[in-house]
Amino acid sequence: MVKRSRGFYWKLALTNLWNNRRVTVPYLLSAAGTILMFYALCALTLGLDEETMYGGTSVASMLSLGIFVIGLFAVLFLFYTNSFMMKRRKKELGLYNILGMEKRHIAHIIFRETLVLAALSLVVGIGLGILFSGVMFLVLGALLGTSVSFQFFVPALALQWTAVLFAAIFLLTMCYNILQVRLANPIQLLHGGEVGEKEPKAHWVLAVLGAVLLGAGYYLALTVQDPLSALLLFFVAVVLVILGTYLLFLTGITALLKLLKKNKGFYYKLNHFTAVSGMLYRMKQNAAGLASICVLFTALLVTVSTTFSLYTSMDGLMRTRYPRNIRITAQGANQDAKDMIRDVVAEKSSALGLTIENVVDRECWDMTVFRMGSALNTQDIPDNSYTVDSYAVVYFFTQEEFQRFSGQELALSENQAVLFDPVGTFPEGDTLSIDDQEFQLLPSDYQFPDASTMAQIYEVYYLVVKDVSVVESILGPTGVNLAPSYSYDFDVAGGNPDGIMALIEALREQEFSGKGVSYDSLWMEDSATARQDFLNLYGGLFFLGMFLGILFLLGTALIIYYKQVSEGYEDARRFTIMQQVGMSHREVKQSIHSQILLVFFLPLVTAVVHLAFAFPMLQKILLVMGLADFWIIFLSTVGCVAVFAVCYLIIYGLTARTYYKIVETTA
């Protein structure tokens, strides 16, 4: 008898799921899609090779934060979809109770239904997640033409995390459903799907708070000046904008609609009356979901546009980072070492049949300083009353060295200097204070070739002083190495990567030693070898951006799809009531259609506004990565907005079919 009872429960559970497939299938798809997102992000995080990727530790931390966010999203989203499914099924469960089935028997059915849905969701979701991850690695690996800093495999830990999290979510939803059935009487269950909702209240304090938080986030994005501050403040601005977005969607739009409702001349018109009333109830049901769509879509646009900008500008970044094909740097080199470097380069290039050009060789000291007005400080300022205007890098040259590579004659005294100021901070003829020393600035029309890439992040100055003793008087108290750095930079004519590789290999095989040759350290860099590292770095970032972008797009699609389903069932009843009170079929359809368009395109418009305000801050953050080309960043951002707006329209168009089908068949 027990076996027959258990078989009966299983048969009834499976029959219920099939008969209610119009609500259970969307729930199953949403659950599987959420599982796909969570598993894929876990697998990506565990597949990251932190050692081979520049900033790998930071990327891993961000991905771990992403796992937490997606996990939280999964909990909230599946509870929302479950509540909608249960609302549609309360009448059926109430009938079971009225026909004599005890609530513990209904609990048996709910348990089996949840078990089936959980098993199907996990199998489909993890299977699609593995397939999705594999396809992404293959496609983007082929696109980049190199191995990125991520490895594709099926990590057991990712499977374990996914199974544990979603088993817990399904267990909690099952307990919640059983508790609802146990606490409700049969009549409440029978009419549970038809209970109307009260008009939402306008929480003005929260609405104002949302506007303040959003304004604060926008203000940070617009007013931040230097790239390093932008990098530090970016996450603060993100948190402020997310909180402001949720509060405005939850309370601000309702408050605005309440104001429109109080305007009698506006409200008591047929189109306005139905639109405002309908939107009030829609915002109560959909505010959190619409805010989630907005946040996900904003994250999608920011992630893809920034990584795409970096990837497409890789060649320009290479030339900025390596203005010459090859650089040889020797710390503390004497004159014999410098002569040997020049001679060896000439010998090896001649033996390979290569011509070198655009030679730049010079010896200097460099130091990161703090600029406060017209004063530079080499050490931290203990007095908090002073404000640091910016950070700067100063390259110090002696008068003798400057005359050697520039050909210009100078006659400086100990308190005179020539300052080359690309940013125009210090006027000619002015004075410059460095710590407790003051220099009178003399003019010069010499142009330094290939200003350092640091100019994109810091201010950069080139300072010529009388001799080594002046340099030591400035840098000595800081405790830095006073050995100067000698660099020998040059291009290989034609820029042939094979020629560059052949020459750099020949130079690395050379022993830079001999009688009288002395230096502390010597190292070499070349653009051909670095290109692979650049491709690995920016290709890896682009891969990460596309991977996360597609996940964000999937999350957006899931929310839109389920909202269309839930809206369809709600509007079917409204459709009938509005016709019964005298509105024509065309007027009803037009009213509901306009509300749906406004509801689902509001997040898209808001996301684009968020991105527009974030653009100045993103531009400065990209400077840290070496990207200073405004038009590349701007066009990449506009292109990403256009592409994903079309994707959003396609998602809306496809899910709208489901909506209209439900309305027409249910009404």
Side-chain angles (χ1 to χ4, degrees):
M1 183 66 183
V2 174
K3 289 184 179 179
R4 289 181 60 186
S5 297
R6 288 179 178 174
F8 169 75
Y9 289 138
W10 276 113
K11 183 178 180 180
L12 194 57
L14 293 173
T15 301
N16 288 344
L17 292 175
W18 176 253
N19 291 338
N20 290 283
R21 56 188 178 275
R22 293 180 66 183
V23 291
T24 56
V25 169
Y27 178 76
L28 177 63
L29 292 174
S30 300
T34 310
I35 291 169
L36 183 160
M37 292 171 61
F38 184 80
Y39 166 81
L41 194 56
C42 289
L44 179 68
T45 305
L46 295 172
L48 170 65
D49 188 351
E50 296 183 32
E51 300 297 325
T52 62
M53 184 177 186
Y54 179 81
T57 303
S58 299
V59 172
S61 300
M62 291 176 63
L63 288 175
S64 299
L65 178 62
I67 290 175
F68 172 78
V69 172
I70 295 295
L72 182 62
F73 166 77
V75 174
L76 298 175
F77 183 59
L78 289 183
F79 261 89
Y80 164 74
T81 52
N82 172 76
S83 65
F84 167 76
M85 182 176 67
M86 282 300 294
K87 184 177 181 181
R88 303 303 308 172
R89 296 194 56 209
K90 280 184 177 180
K91 183 175 183 179
E92 169 196 346
L93 299 176
L95 282 173
Y96 284 153
N97 203 191
I98 288 175
L99 293 173
M101 187 176 286
E102 297 180 21
K103 289 184 177 179
R104 62 187 179 91
H105 297 142
I106 297 175
H108 278 294
I109 297 172
I110 293 175
F111 168 74
R112 285 159 176 77
E113 289 175 353
T114 305
L115 199 60
V116 171
L117 288 172
L120 286 174
S121 300
L122 283 168
V123 170
V124 174
I126 292 176
L128 290 176
I130 294 171
L131 180 64
F132 168 77
S133 300
V135 170
M136 282 293 294
F137 273 88
L138 287 174
V139 170
L140 289 172
L143 176 65
L144 301 176
T146 181
S147 58
V148 294
S149 303
F150 303 91
Q151 303 169 5
F152 172 68
F153 66 106
V154 181
L157 195 57
L159 296 173
Q160 180 182 332
W161 288 350
T162 306
V164 169
L165 173 66
F166 286 91
I169 293 174
F170 282 114
L171 177 63
L172 290 173
T173 56
M174 181 193 70
C175 293
Y176 175 75
N177 295 341
I178 291 174
L179 184 64
Q180 273 195 312
V181 171
R182 182 172 292 277
L183 295 178
N185 60 50
I187 302 301
Q188 288 176 324
L189 287 174
L190 197 62
H191 297 287
E194 301 172 1
V195 175
E197 294 193 35
K198 296 180 180 179
E199 182 178 299
K201 295 180 180 179
H203 300 281
W204 291 100
V205 174
L206 294 179
V208 172
L209 178 61
V212 169
L213 290 174
L214 194 62
Y218 286 170
Y219 177 79
L220 283 179
L222 292 174
T223 57
V224 66
Q225 294 298 319
D226 62 280
L228 294 179
S229 298
L231 195 61
L232 294 173
L233 293 174
F234 177 73
F235 293 102
V236 177
V238 166
V239 171
L240 290 173
V241 169
I242 289 176
L243 292 175
T245 299
Y246 272 95
L247 285 176
L248 284 180
F249 271 88
L250 289 168
T251 61
I253 297 176
T254 299
L256 177 61
L257 292 170
K258 286 277 191 177
L259 283 177
L260 293 176
K261 188 176 179 181
K262 288 182 178 179
N263 187 335
K264 306 301 182 183
F266 173 86
Y267 182 62
Y268 288 108
K269 293 181 180 178
L270 180 61
N271 292 337
H272 296 169
F273 177 83
T274 56
V276 172
S277 299
M279 284 296 296
L280 271 171
Y281 288 97
R282 285 185 197 281
M283 290 313 300
K284 181 177 182 179
Q285 296 170 5
N286 297 306
L290 294 174
S292 298
I293 293 174
C294 179
V295 169
L296 283 173
F297 205 72
T298 305
L300 161 68
L301 294 175
V302 168
T303 303
V304 177
S305 63
T306 51
T307 54
F308 182 70
S309 298
L310 287 169
Y311 182 67
T312 54
S313 62
M314 188 174 63
D315 289 335
L317 292 172
M318 274 287 299
R319 195 60 181 172
T320 302
R321 176 63 181 84
Y322 297 94
R324 300 287 183 270
N325 296 150
I326 295 177
R327 161 173 283 196
I328 304 174
T329 305
Q331 190 80 27
N334 65 2
Q335 189 59 48
D336 289 333
K338 299 174 191 175
D339 292 338
M340 185 175 190
I341 290 172
R342 299 185 188 111
D343 293 342
V344 168
V345 170
E347 176 189 338
K348 296 298 182 183
S349 58
S350 179
L352 292 169
L354 301 172
T355 303
I356 66 169
E357 57 188 11
N358 301 327
V359 176
V360 175
D361 70 320
R362 56 199 184 199
E363 182 180 73
C364 67
W365 296 257
D366 63 89
M367 181 73 182
T368 301
V369 300
F370 307 90
R371 182 179 67 80
M372 295 175 292
S374 60
L376 300 178
N377 290 273
T378 60
Q379 302 181 63
D380 288 329
I381 306 302
D383 188 349
N384 293 328
S385 63
Y386 289 93
T387 302
V388 175
D389 293 319
S390 69
Y391 300 94
V393 175
V394 180
Y395 293 90
F396 296 91
F397 299 89
T398 63
Q399 175 178 267
E400 179 184 0
E401 175 66 9
F402 175 74
Q403 290 176 165
R404 182 192 67 79
F405 65 73
S406 71
Q408 291 193 358
E409 294 289 334
L410 294 176
L412 300 175
S413 64
E414 289 190 356
N415 64 344
Q416 291 179 326
V418 175
L419 179 68
F420 298 90
D421 175 12
V423 294
T425 306
F426 300 95
E428 289 184 1
D430 204 345
T431 58
L432 170 67
S433 173
I434 303 179
D435 294 335
D436 57 352
Q437 299 187 52
E438 191 169 282
F439 296 90
Q440 179 186 358
L441 298 180
L442 302 181
S444 174
D445 57 359
Y446 179 75
Q447 295 292 323
F448 270 83
D450 310 318
S452 167
T453 54
M454 283 295 181
Q456 298 164 359
I457 306 173
Y458 301 102
E459 295 175 356
V460 172
Y461 304 105
Y462 302 90
L463 187 69
V464 183
V465 295
K466 181 180 179 182
D467 52 31
V468 174
S469 64
V470 178
V471 175
E472 290 178 347
S473 69
I474 297 171
L475 301 183
T478 67
V480 302
N481 185 358
L482 293 177
S485 175
Y486 172 75
S487 62
Y488 189 74
D489 304 2
F490 58 91
D491 278 331
V492 174
N496 183 356
D498 293 335
I500 297 170
M501 289 295 294
L503 180 54
I504 196 69
E505 287 174 10
L507 291 172
R508 284 175 176 156
E509 291 172 359
Q510 173 70 37
E511 288 287 338
F512 287 87
S513 61
K515 186 177 180 180
V517 174
S518 173
Y519 54 85
D520 297 335
S521 59
L522 185 146
W523 64 96
M524 304 179 196
E525 300 172 278
D526 70 283
S527 57
T529 304
R531 182 173 182 80
Q532 187 63 33
D533 295 332
F534 264 69
L535 191 59
N536 192 36
L537 169 61
Y538 294 113
L541 289 174
F542 180 53
F543 172 84
L544 178 63
M546 289 300 297
F547 197 100
L548 294 178
I550 292 175
L551 287 184
F552 291 144
L553 187 63
L554 176 61
T556 302
L558 285 175
I559 299 176
I560 291 176
Y561 170 70
Y562 215 87
K563 289 221 164 293
Q564 294 282 33
V565 173
S566 60
E567 287 276 309
Y569 283 109
E570 292 293 332
D571 286 341
R573 197 155 45 108
R574 293 194 190 114
F575 197 92
T576 303
I577 294 172
M578 291 168 78
Q579 283 186 296
Q580 289 174 346
V581 297
M583 292 180 67
S584 68
H585 180 89
R586 186 182 63 83
E587 289 173 334
V588 172
K589 190 170 183 179
Q590 182 180 359
S591 175
I592 291 181
H593 180 67
S594 63
Q595 294 173 39
I596 289 291
L597 283 175
L598 184 58
V599 164
F600 283 99
F601 284 97
L602 187 61
L604 174 61
V605 174
T606 309
V608 173
V609 172
H610 287 348
L611 181 63
F613 277 96
F615 184 81
M617 179 175 272
L618 294 175
Q619 187 183 358
K620 291 180 175 63
I621 291 173
L622 289 173
L623 283 176
V624 179
M625 303 294 292
L627 178 55
D629 193 321
F630 168 81
W631 287 107
I632 286 181
I633 303 171
F634 177 76
L635 293 175
S636 296
T637 303
V638 171
C640 288
V641 169
V643 168
F644 286 104
V646 171
C647 293
Y648 192 97
L649 291 172
I650 292 172
I651 293 169
Y652 171 77
L654 292 175
T655 55
R657 294 181 183 178
T658 303
Y659 166 83
Y660 285 114
K661 185 177 180 181
I662 292 172
V663 169
E664 291 171 1
T665 57
T666 309

